Amino acid sequence: MVNAATRSSSANNEPVIVLGIESTAHTFAVGIVSSEPPYILADSRRQYVPKEGGILPREVASFFSQVAGEVVREALHQAGISAGDLSAIAVALGPGMGPALRVGATVARALAHYFHKPLVSVNHAVAHVEIARFLTGLLDPVVLYVSGGNTTVLSFRAGRYRVFGETLDISLGNMLDTFARETGLGPPYVVGGEHVIDRCSRGGEFISGFPYVVKGQDVSYSGLLTAALRAYRKGLEPLKNVCYTLREIGFSSVVEVTERCLAHVGKRQVVLTGGVAANDELNRKLEIMAQVHGARFKRIPKKYAGDNGVMIALTGLLSYMSSYNIIEPHRAFIRQRWRVDRVNIPWYPKTLGRSL
Amino acid sequence: MVSEDPWKKLVDGMIDSVVKLPLIARGAESELHLGAYGGIKAVFKYRRPKPYMDPRLDAMLRRSRTVKEAKVLLHAFSEGVSVPRLLAVYPTLYLLVMEYVEGPRMKEVLEGHVDTSKACSLAKSAAAILAKLHLIGIAHGDPTTSNFIVSPRGLVLIDFGLAEYTSDIEDYAVDIHLFRRASLSTHAAISGILTDCFTRGYREQMGNEADPILRRAEEIELRGRYVEERRTVWGAGR
C-alpha cells in the first residue's frame, strides 16, 4: 500500500510532505507543508474578484479551472520539489460552494491517482482552526471563526471542535460586505489591507436605535443590516456614523458570545481565525476581552487569516499522520454542508512541530 | 465639573462598597457579591463595564439588561413563580439586589448520591417552575441545572439575565430543549429519568397547552446543530 510505505519512510526521519488544495469559496490555493522545519514550503494562491456585485459560483469555478494548473506548478516550484516527492495530497472537500469545490476535488483526485499518492479529506473550518493553533502556539483555545460565510465560536471537547455559538442568520463578513455593496463603498471590499467599512467608520459616532441581538450564545445580524441600510437611505445620519455603529455592534456582539463561551468552558486561550481575522479592530476587542478574563490572546498573521492552501496542507498532514480521513480518490465526494463538529480530531492537542 | 457631581460621588462610593463584598460567582456578564440589604441577607448582582465596547453601547446594554431582569423578577415573584425576591434595582448603577437563596445548585445535588425518586421530583419541580413562567409570558433563556437552587423552601429559579417577554412558543420550547440538553451533557447517567420527569411535570402544570410546546422542543432537537451537540455526550464514552 502506498499509505503504509509513505508513513514508514517518516519513521526513517524523512519528512512527511503534504500538498493541500483549497477551493471552497473565492480563493484557489495550494500550500505545501513538511513535518520538519521550516514546515511551510509553499503558498500559492489566486483570488477571484468580481468586477461588480457578489460572487457567482459558476464564474468562480470557471476562473479556478483556468488557474488551477499554474497554481499547482507554482507551489511545487516554490517548494523545490516534484510531485513524486510528496507523501500525500490533501483537499478541502467542504463546506463551501459546490461548483468551486468540484474544481479542487477534481485536481486532487487527478494528482492522487496519477502520482499514486494517498488522498486526505480535509474540512475547511477545521483547517482554519489548525492554522491558528499552529501559528499562535495557543494549543487549547476558544476559537472565534469569522469569514464571509461563517460566524462560529468553537472549542475542543470530547474529541471534536464543538459549536458553542453561531450566527442565527447571515455571517459577520457577509453583513459588512453587503452593507458596503448596497452603499457603493465596494467592491472591492478590502483596499490597502483594510476593509472599506473600517475606512468609512473613521471619526464616526455611535448612534442609538440599531438592534443588538445576542440570544444565549448566538448572534443575529440580519436586523442590524436592515436598520443600517434604512438609516443610510433616510440620509439623516452621516455615513461614517452608520458604518461605525454597524461595525461596533457587529464586532461587540460576536466578542460577547466568545466571552460567554470562555466563561462556560473555563479555557485560558482565545484565537481569532477566518477572513475577518485580518481586521485590526476585531483583534483589539478580542484582546481586551481576553485580558479581562486573564486569558491569552495572540493574533494570526493577516496572510493566513483568509482562505489559503497552507492550512489545508497542514491539516491534511496532521490527519495523515493520525491515519484519519485517508480516502480512495473515487470516494472523494464534495460535502457542501460538512459541519465542523462531524470531524474527529485525533491529533489534539498536538500540532505540527510541537510534540508531533 | 463631573468630578464634583455629588450624585456621581455617591454612585461611585456605592459601587466601590458593593465590589468589596465577598464575591460568590462571576459569569461572563456579571458578578455576584454577598452582603446585607435592609437587614436581609442579599446578593448584589453588578454588571461590570465591558472595556471592549463603545461606552455608549456598553451603558445602553447594561442598563437595559438590568432593567429587564428586574422587571421579570418582580413580575414572576408577584405571580407566585419560585424566584428570588427583588429588593432593589439601580439601573444607573447597573446593580440589582436580591434576597440570598440558601442551598446547593440542582447540578451539585444531581452530581452527588441522589436516588431516582429525588432526581425525578427535582426535575418535576423545575418543569413546574418553567411552566408557570411560560404561562405568564416569560422565557428564561438559560434554564440549566446550575440555575436552580435547592433551598429549604423548595426549588428556586435564578439568573434572568437572558430572559425575554415573549408569546412565541419557540422561545418556550427552547427553554425545554436547553434543560434537556443540560441533563444530557451534565447528568448523562440519569438523563432519561430527568427528561421523562421533566416532561411529565411540565404537562401537569401547563395542561393541554403543553403539547405544541413539547412538540416544538422535539423539532428543535432535530435541527442540525443541536443533534450534533447531543452526540457530544454519546461520543464521549467511545
Side-chain angles (χ1 to χ4, degrees):
Chain A
M1 280 298 294
V2 179
N3 302 357
T6 316
R7 266 171 291 153
S8 71
S9 78
S10 76
N12 301 334
N13 290 333
E14 288 220 8
V16 178
I17 300 174
V18 174
L19 176 146
I21 300 170
E22 157 63 29
S23 77
T24 63
H26 54 32
T27 301
F28 188 91
V30 172
I32 299 176
V33 171
S34 163
S35 60
E36 299 300 323
Y39 308 118
I40 299 174
L41 305 183
D43 176 10
S44 173
R45 34 177 126 174
R46 301 284 187 280
Q47 191 182 332
Y48 173 76
V49 183
K51 288 185 183 66
E52 58 178 18
I55 285 173
L56 290 171
R58 188 168 36 86
E59 289 178 8
V60 176
S62 146
F63 171 79
F64 281 6
S65 339
Q66 285 162 32
V67 299
E70 69 183 47
V71 176
V72 172
R73 271 194 300 276
E74 190 176 279
L76 287 168
H77 180 75
Q78 278 178 23
I81 58 172
S82 62
D85 301 326
L86 295 167
S87 314
I89 308 292
V91 59
L93 289 178
M97 303 189 299
L101 285 167
R102 274 181 208 106
V103 179
T106 305
V107 173
R109 278 192 293 257
L111 287 173
H113 188 72
Y114 188 80
F115 292 102
H116 300 286
K117 299 295 176 188
L119 185 61
V120 187
S121 159
V122 170
N123 177 292
H124 176 85
V126 169
H128 271 296
V129 176
E130 292 307 335
I131 191 82
R133 289 177 61 238
F134 171 66
L135 292 173
T136 61
L138 300 180
L139 299 186
D140 188 27
V142 166
V143 182
L144 174 57
Y145 169 31
V146 277
S147 66
N150 297 274
T151 303
T152 314
V153 180
L154 300 161
S155 199
F156 182 89
R157 192 151 147 185
R160 295 179 182 180
Y161 294 121
R162 306 291 171 178
V163 176
F164 282 86
E166 61 191 336
T167 177
L168 297 169
D169 40 56
I170 56 174
S171 75
L172 180 57
N174 190 358
M175 179 188 73
L176 298 176
D177 290 356
T178 306
F179 183 80
R181 189 164 67 237
E182 296 291 316
T183 52
L185 292 166
Y189 304 113
V190 177
V191 178
E194 188 186 41
H195 198 281
V196 290
I197 298 293
D198 289 316
R199 187 162 292 190
C200 165
S201 296
R202 212 163 285 145
E205 296 264 325
F206 188 80
I207 49 179
S208 58
F210 288 11
Y212 180 102
V213 185
V214 167
K215 283 191 174 183
Q217 307 229 28
D218 298 324
V219 291
S220 158
Y221 288 130
S222 58
L224 174 60
L225 176 61
T226 306
L229 286 173
R230 195 183 298 134
Y232 164 73
R233 281 170 194 145
K234 273 191 187 158
L236 298 176
E237 283 287 342
L239 183 57
K240 64 180 181 182
N241 291 358
V242 180
C243 285
Y244 177 83
T245 308
L246 176 85
R247 186 184 74 168
E248 183 60 30
I249 293 180
F251 286 179
S252 295
S253 53
V254 85
V255 173
E256 189 179 13
V257 299
T258 310
E259 184 177 26
R260 290 206 170 151
C261 177
L262 194 67
H264 179 70
V265 302
K267 296 195 181 188
R268 317 288 293 172
Q269 301 176 344
V270 182
V271 298
L272 173 62
T273 195
V276 188
N279 189 287
D280 292 332
E281 176 63 14
L282 186 56
N283 275 280
R284 190 186 69 85
K285 283 185 184 300
L286 265 184
E287 185 164 16
I288 297 170
M289 185 278 284
Q291 266 170 13
V292 170
H293 292 271
R296 288 186 67 200
F297 172 82
K298 255 165 96 175
R299 69 178 296 174
I300 64 170
K302 281 191 182 188
K303 191 177 165 188
Y304 293 109
D307 296 351
N308 61 84
V310 172
M311 67 183 197
I312 306 301
L314 168 70
T315 310
L317 178 59
L318 292 165
S319 193
Y320 175 67
M321 292 181 76
S322 312
S323 303
Y324 180 65
N325 267 350
I326 300 168
I327 56 174
E328 295 297 329
H330 69 275
R331 303 210 49 90
F333 303 121
I334 61 157
R335 304 172 72 172
Q336 282 157 272
R337 292 162 189 264
W338 190 9
R339 291 188 57 87
V340 63
D341 50 13
R342 298 291 295 268
V343 185
N344 291 328
I345 313 295
W347 55 86
Y348 203 87
K350 291 174 190 162
T351 187
L352 195 53
R354 290 185 168 79
S355 67
L356 195 127
Chain B
M1 288 301 290
V2 178
S3 58
E4 286 159 19
D5 181 342
W7 171 244
K8 188 176 185 302
K9 217 171 151 184
L10 194 71
V11 161
D12 289 347
M14 204 156 151
I15 288 303
D16 283 348
S17 44
V18 164
V19 298
K20 276 185 202 135
L21 293 169
L23 184 72
I24 53 172
R26 166 174 280 147
E29 67 146 3
S30 65
E31 47 191 52
L32 302 180
H33 296 272
L34 188 60
Y37 192 89
I40 298 172
K41 203 171 175 188
V43 172
F44 294 76
K45 178 168 184 171
Y46 173 54
R47 287 180 160 84
R48 267 193 187 281
K50 291 189 184 296
Y52 58 82
M53 282 190 192
D54 182 288
R56 285 157 292 190
L57 174 61
D58 182 44
M60 191 186 86
L61 287 175
R62 289 193 290 146
R63 190 186 149 99
S64 67
R65 287 170 180 178
T66 304
V67 169
K68 192 200 281 162
E69 187 167 8
K71 271 187 189 161
V72 166
L73 274 175
L74 206 58
H75 183 189
F77 189 83
S78 70
E79 294 284 346
V81 185
S82 181
V83 300
R85 190 149 50 106
L86 181 72
L87 299 174
V89 54
Y90 298 90
T92 53
L93 308 187
Y94 320 106
L95 179 69
L96 285 174
V97 191
M98 292 165 280
E99 138 200 52
Y100 176 69
V101 180
E102 190 90 49
R105 289 166 189 257
M106 183 175 167
K107 175 174 182 257
E108 292 153 12
V109 173
L110 293 176
E111 279 167 348
H113 295 286
V114 58
D115 60 53
T116 49
S117 70
K118 174 73 178 163
C120 180
S121 79
L122 284 173
K124 279 173 89 171
S125 314
I129 295 172
L130 269 185
K132 279 188 194 168
L133 199 65
H134 294 169
L135 284 169
I136 60 170
I138 299 168
H140 181 271
D142 192 22
T144 63
T145 51
S146 303
N147 281 335
F148 288 94
I149 306 270
V150 186
S151 83
R153 65 162 155 112
L155 212 53
V156 180
L157 179 56
I158 59 164
D159 196 356
F160 288 77
L162 296 176
E164 290 284 350
Y165 273 101
T166 172
S167 56
D168 189 346
I169 67 162
E170 169 87 8
D171 295 319
Y172 306 150
V174 167
D175 269 357
I176 288 169
H177 167 68
L178 290 172
F179 183 88
R180 286 182 180 163
R181 191 174 65 179
S183 302
L184 276 165
S185 61
T186 322
H187 314 291
I190 50 167
S191 66
I193 296 157
L194 290 178
T195 51
D196 285 353
C197 296
F198 182 89
T199 308
R200 279 219 308 274
Y202 193 78
R203 200 173 266 131
E204 276 169 24
Q205 185 67 43
M206 181 153 315
N208 289 339
E209 285 178 68
D211 291 328
I213 300 171
L214 291 167
R215 258 202 309 277
R216 182 68 71 94
E218 305 283 341
E219 280 173 39
I220 291 170
E221 265 153 64
L222 292 175
R223 289 178 200 160
R225 153 165 186 233
Y226 296 114
V227 173
E228 289 305 318
E229 289 210 20
R230 208 170 47 186
R231 280 186 194 162
T232 309
V233 185
W234 296 345
R238 288 184 191 163

